[in-house]
Amino acid sequence: MTGYAGIDAGGTLVKIAYLSDGSAADSGGEGLLSASLPILVKFPTERIEAAVEWVRRQVPRDTVVGFTGGQAQRLRALLPEYEASAVDVPEFEATAEGAVRILKAEAEKEEAAAASGRFVLVNVGTGTSLHVIEGGERLRLGGIGLGGGTIVGLTGLLCGVRDYAEIARLAPLGSREAVDLTVGQIYAPAIPPIAGDLTAANFARPVPPATGAEPQDYAAAVIGMVAEIVVTVGVQAAGLQKTNQVVYIGSSYQDNALLRELTLRFTEMLGATAKIPKQGPYSGAIGALHLAKR
């Protein structure tokens, strides 16, 4: 066999992990996570043909390919030349397997301790799913319909910006207080009993600022709402699972500084420990690769 690949074809992105038996060539990917982990690339699902062309150009035909995700069957049908060595991998199993491997690899790279014992895994993709992981236990707890898809959809409805990269760029420049009703606004001019910038009610500011709300304010408010809800659900799940460790993964965190910042802050505020691994968006692809390899 020439090598192994995992393809996580989701509703928003197609993520590919490819591990060759030989040395890695310059393939336009995001580089190696470590010597034992694969080349990682991604494509928008709306440009699925670009993902197909990349696979045909970079991945030899005898490669074992694990397909996972909601668009996996569609992508697999576009790559019939790989059918002889194709493997279907359940999405939630792939996500959990990939997350564990990424945490271990990043800890080795940083010479630090990986997430140990029991932890809750929160996968923030188009929507959000939750898992509890401890050793060989990989149990899905459930999910909610908020995630990166919410950020794109709601910001698009509010101010017409639907490009995720542009939303992530704008959000740190905005003010949530131009849109949200905060604790500080409710208690003013008195000193609030908790942090004044915490949200009392999303999108509920009764009187907008004199200049009106700008696109960056809406972007900040939407990302803040998603972060608050995802963290609240994740930390509550961790408490029910008798752990204070929460690991956040998913494509929503990639290049989204405000979402990462708020996730870390809110998790700590609620008394839990948060970790957002750098290569978390590729958990499904990496997991599919290794489960297919088995």
Side-chain angles (χ1 to χ4, degrees):
M1 284 296 174
T2 301
Y4 300 88
I7 303 179
D8 178 10
T12 303
L13 293 172
V14 175
K15 285 84 65 177
I16 302 171
Y18 171 53
L19 184 64
S20 171
D21 283 347
S23 58
D26 179 8
S27 57
E30 298 193 5
L32 295 174
L33 182 60
S34 77
S36 60
L37 286 177
I39 295 168
L40 307 171
V41 295
K42 67 180 184 296
F43 300 89
T45 302
E46 63 185 18
R47 293 180 53 234
I48 199 168
E49 295 81 7
V52 169
E53 289 306 311
W54 188 93
V55 172
R56 285 177 173 157
R57 186 172 64 251
Q58 298 293 339
V59 180
R61 300 295 187 269
D62 59 351
T63 300
V64 176
V65 183
F67 288 88
T68 194
Q71 292 291 306
Q73 292 306 312
R74 175 188 173 198
L75 184 60
R76 184 169 172 173
L78 294 172
L79 292 166
E81 60 267 49
Y82 294 86
E83 189 60 31
S85 55
V87 179
D88 280 322
V89 180
E91 181 177 359
F92 300 129
E93 293 179 23
T95 298
E97 178 71 18
V100 170
R101 288 181 176 274
I102 287 170
L103 288 169
K104 182 179 178 181
E106 292 193 2
E108 290 174 352
K109 185 177 180 180
E110 298 167 4
E111 297 183 352
S116 59
R118 194 173 186 85
F119 66 91
V120 165
L121 180 68
V122 181
N123 182 16
V124 189
T126 305
T128 298
S129 61
L130 296 93
H131 313 253
V132 61
I133 295 179
E134 182 176 22
E137 179 184 359
R138 314 282 174 84
L139 176 66
R140 182 174 186 267
L141 301 175
I144 57 174
L146 275 85
T150 308
I151 293 172
V152 171
L154 191 51
T155 306
L157 290 171
L158 290 169
C159 61
V161 181
R162 295 190 62 88
D163 179 75
Y164 191 82
E166 179 64 7
I167 294 168
R169 185 192 70 80
L170 285 173
L173 306 176
S175 170
R176 296 181 62 196
E177 293 189 10
V179 178
D180 294 339
L181 180 63
T182 66
V183 173
Q185 290 169 352
I186 289 177
Y187 275 84
I191 298 174
I194 56 177
D197 64 341
L198 291 178
T199 306
N202 299 99
F203 301 98
R205 175 164 176 162
V207 180
T211 57
E214 300 291 337
Q216 58 264 31
D217 302 325
Y218 286 115
V222 172
I223 288 175
M225 181 187 71
V226 170
E228 288 174 344
I229 295 174
V230 164
V231 168
T232 299
V233 172
V235 172
Q236 288 180 349
L240 292 172
Q241 294 298 323
K242 310 300 182 186
T243 179
N244 73 338
Q245 294 189 89
V246 186
V247 176
Y248 299 91
I249 62 170
S251 54
S252 298
Y253 286 105
Q254 192 159 34
D255 301 321
N256 192 329
L258 184 61
L259 183 62
R260 294 172 67 92
E261 174 193 329
L262 294 177
T263 296
L264 294 171
R265 177 189 171 197
F266 293 148
T267 304
E268 181 179 354
M269 188 180 297
L270 293 177
T273 300
K275 187 172 182 63
I276 307 175
K278 181 180 178 182
Q279 301 293 357
Y282 293 94
S283 293
I286 291 172
L289 182 156
H290 285 282
L291 290 174
K293 193 174 181 181
R294 289 180 182 175

